[in-house]
Amino acid sequence: METTWPFVYNFPMSYEGKAKIMKDGPKEGTLVMLFKDDVTAGNGKKKAVIKGKGKINKAITLKLLKLLHDNGVPTHLIEDIDDRSILVKRLKIFPLEVVVRNIATGSIVRRLGLEKGMVFKRPLFELFFKNDDLHDPMICQEHAFMMDLIYPDDLLIVRNLSMRANEILKQYFDSIGFDLVDIKFEFGVDENEEIYLADEISPDTMRLWEKGTMTSFDKDVFREDKGDLLTTYTEVAKRMGLKIEGI
Ligand code: 5GP
């Protein structure tokens, strides 16, 4: 296999995203991930600032990344910094969004006409091309290889890690009264070409339903104007045993 990196993405420098800011960390090879209070949906078309959301998502992400690490999934988490930030490894991020689905809803229902709430016999693994201009289109693995977004061997690893992470999180959320409906993961490699799970893991990046119902405890509350996002996220944090000051 070639040793050069296949696509144009390089180690990211500081940048501000829709819900987070990535800044250079104190040591080489590190980044500070700062969680903002901004929430967006529909590729930025719908926006709001929800005071306290950043703190909650930071606390949830920290706990879930630790849970995955403790269960054998390598993640980019290095350490906690403060109530809004964590220190993470600087990675070259594959320009892919990996979605694992346990129950049908969202884009797969619109795309395939499935019944919302249908429970899949086994988790479904999907790939999307991370590209705002194209609205993150769904792709198949052949497209990913054709565009040199990822090597086949690396995609196998990413698939296995995604399935394992989904299983760990599904069990965890089940134990606190939620069905993990679907979840988006991102992955990257460090300077040694080791693969790590990256990004945040929060109700912004997954769907949680009250167990046995279709009641949302995630960003769909904002996307579909179904209630108060802060109250919803606070309840998730509470069931996770998190105490967040000022919330
Ligand atoms: P869907 O494809 O049904 O819209 O989304 C599937 C899952 O991936 C949902 O849990 C959704 O929150 C997450 N997801 C998909 N795309 C994005 C994205 O661009 N940003 C975030 N935060 N989550 C996403």
Side-chain angles (χ1 to χ4, degrees), residues 59-78:
I60 292 175
T61 295
L62 179 67
K63 176 149 183 170
L64 296 179
L65 288 176
K66 280 185 183 162
L67 176 75
L68 292 175
H69 169 88
D70 292 347
N71 285 280
V73 176
T75 82
H76 65 159
L77 176 68
I78 300 174

Side-chain angles (χ1 to χ4, degrees), residues 18 97-101 105-108 110-111 126 128 136 182-184 199-200 203-207 219-220 223:
K18 289 178 211 139
E97 289 189 348
V98 169
V99 170
V100 182
R101 298 180 192 272
T105 193
S107 71
I108 194 166
R110 294 194 292 275
R111 222 173 25 243
E126 292 181 341
F128 295 81
D136 300 341
D182 54 34
I183 184 157
K184 181 210 52 147
D199 203 23
E200 67 177 297
D204 274 8
T205 62
M206 61 188 157
R207 287 194 177 98
K219 202 164 97 173
D220 276 355
R223 290 187 187 104

Side-chain angles (χ1 to χ4, degrees), residues 172-229:
Y172 172 69
F173 281 113
D174 182 72
S175 76
I176 58 168
F178 292 119
D179 288 325
L180 176 62
V181 175
D182 54 34
I183 184 157
K184 181 210 52 147
F185 295 121
E186 294 189 24
F187 290 86
V189 293
D190 68 2
E191 60 288 348
N192 300 317
E193 311 278 297
E194 292 294 328
I195 297 178
Y196 295 87
L197 190 135
D199 203 23
E200 67 177 297
I201 305 184
S202 73
D204 274 8
T205 62
M206 61 188 157
R207 287 194 177 98
L208 295 172
W209 287 351
E210 180 83 59
K211 209 160 148 175
T213 76
M214 290 188 196
T215 308
S216 297
F217 279 81
D218 55 62
K219 202 164 97 173
D220 276 355
V221 168
F222 175 75
R223 290 187 187 104
E224 297 168 15
D225 293 314
K226 291 196 286 197
D228 179 60
L229 196 74

Side-chain angles (χ1 to χ4, degrees), residues 131-159:
N131 184 312
D132 279 347
D133 293 340
L134 298 174
H135 307 288
D136 300 341
M138 189 183 176
I139 56 172
C140 70
Q141 60 177 33
E142 298 301 324
H143 294 135
F145 303 151
M146 177 273 291
M147 291 190 285
D148 285 336
L149 305 182
I150 191 166
Y151 289 124
D153 288 359
D154 286 347
L155 185 59
L156 262 183
I157 297 171
V158 161
R159 188 179 198 285

Side-chain angles (χ1 to χ4, degrees), residues 5-46:
W5 192 244
F7 52 81
V8 291
Y9 281 56
N10 212 322
F11 286 97
M13 304 316 285
S14 308
Y15 74 91
E16 179 156 359
K18 289 178 211 139
K20 287 179 303 277
I21 298 175
M22 305 298 290
K23 298 187 288 191
D24 286 337
K27 276 187 259 149
E28 196 164 331
T30 67
L31 284 173
V32 174
M33 179 183 271
L34 189 144
F35 292 74
K36 303 199 296 184
D37 285 338
D38 302 57
V39 55
T40 68
N43 202 18
K45 278 197 207 99
K46 189 171 176 189

